[in-house]
Amino acid sequence: MQADTAVIIAAKDEQDRIAATVEAAASLPGVDLVVVVDDGSTDATGRLAEGAGAKVVRHSRNRGKGAAMETGAAAVRLLDGDVPRHLLFLDADLGDTARQAGPLIEPVRAGTAAMTIAAFSDRVKLGGHGFVVRLSRDGIQRLTGWTPTQPLNGQRCLTRQAFEAALPLAPGFGVETGLTVDLLRQGFKVTEVEVPLAHRATGTDWRAQVHRARQFRDVGRALAAREPAVARQLARLRRAPR
């Protein structure tokens, strides 16, 4: 198969799984480039990713998922030839299950979708109560009319055109929600694809609760910025003289 897809993995402190994820991603049909964005890790994530065959770009400090995705896509652009690669975003903790991500690429490669979103067929029971998922799902439905089953899933494949149309990405954990809303509003075809991927479940300790609170905040901000009234006010603020 002709190489036409790059995998981008945003990673922070994932030394236990990053090498397996990189190796599995590199084995996908049509993938000839894996870029890992080491987003301010304090462990050996970057070194192990490089040892597994990835091109590694490092952020000196943690800048969040949205920024890491933009950095990864920019790195791929520098390595693209005449025809830009499709962009497959995978989480760093997928491990060997990343080998099952191929179905995400196929509709994009065939031109039947501009962005695919993974729907995990084997769901890990999460420690939370789904309130962030409901916030995202309800917001996407309200703003676009489409109801995703797993709106926060970070495993996505996009055409370069679709990715560029969504810039700038929503910051932090609001990136998936913002990306979906922005592309649907612009008329891009978005579809969910069931895949047997699995990553580490979020726990129930205080760190997990802080993580969920940050997710809720970022998703809420992404949705608020895309509400028509809020968006108009933000535009006026940007145009106002300083």
Side-chain angles (χ1 to χ4, degrees):
M1 178 179 293
Q2 182 178 357
D4 63 356
T5 303
V7 175
I8 299 171
I9 302 170
K12 183 180 186 299
D13 296 334
E14 290 288 354
Q15 65 178 13
D16 292 341
R17 298 196 181 194
I18 189 63
T21 303
V22 168
E23 291 168 0
S27 74
L28 293 169
V31 168
D32 68 339
L33 176 64
V34 178
V35 173
V36 170
V37 181
D38 182 356
D39 192 27
S41 295
T42 57
D43 63 6
T45 292
R47 177 175 57 80
L48 292 172
E50 200 165 34
K55 303 289 186 183
V56 177
V57 183
R58 293 178 175 84
H59 288 168
S60 59
R61 59 178 178 82
N62 180 244
R63 294 173 54 193
K65 190 171 185 180
M69 290 170 65
E70 290 188 10
T71 294
V76 172
R77 189 191 303 113
L78 293 175
L79 299 170
D80 275 343
D82 295 334
V83 179
R85 292 174 174 89
H86 304 313
L87 305 175
L88 175 61
F89 293 93
L90 297 178
D91 288 347
D93 61 354
L94 291 176
D96 194 59
T97 70
R99 296 180 189 277
Q100 307 300 321
L104 290 171
I105 307 172
E106 292 165 9
V108 176
R109 183 176 284 141
T112 59
M115 179 171 75
T116 56
I117 304 171
F120 288 177
S121 55
D122 300 318
R123 299 196 197 187
V124 177
K125 182 175 175 58
L126 302 179
H129 302 288
F131 62 95
V132 185
V133 172
R134 287 193 295 272
L135 174 67
S136 177
R137 180 186 294 129
D138 292 349
I140 291 169
Q141 196 281 329
R142 183 177 65 255
L143 293 173
T144 70
W146 184 63
T147 306
T149 60
Q150 295 184 31
L152 300 180
N153 203 308
Q155 327 319 308
R156 297 173 180 231
C157 189
L158 297 83
T159 64
R160 170 62 71 170
Q161 180 187 13
F163 183 82
E164 297 287 348
L167 294 175
L169 301 181
F173 297 111
V175 61
E176 289 89 3
T177 301
L179 190 55
T180 302
V181 171
D182 291 345
L183 291 186
L184 287 171
R185 280 179 160 180
Q186 293 181 64
F188 287 94
K189 172 67 174 177
V190 177
T191 188
E192 289 184 306
V193 178
E194 189 170 285
V195 285
L197 302 175
H199 57 58
R200 183 175 52 249
T202 306
T204 57
D205 61 10
W206 68 269
R207 291 183 181 85
Q209 301 306 330
V210 170
H211 172 75
R212 289 192 191 90
R214 289 172 177 165
Q215 278 188 309
F216 191 88
R217 175 199 64 193
D218 290 351
V219 169
R221 286 175 175 174
L223 290 170
R226 286 157 178 80
E227 293 283 357
V230 176
R232 286 194 294 271
Q233 181 62 23
L234 289 173
R236 283 195 291 270
L237 291 173
R238 292 189 189 103
R239 292 195 297 269
R242 297 181 181 277

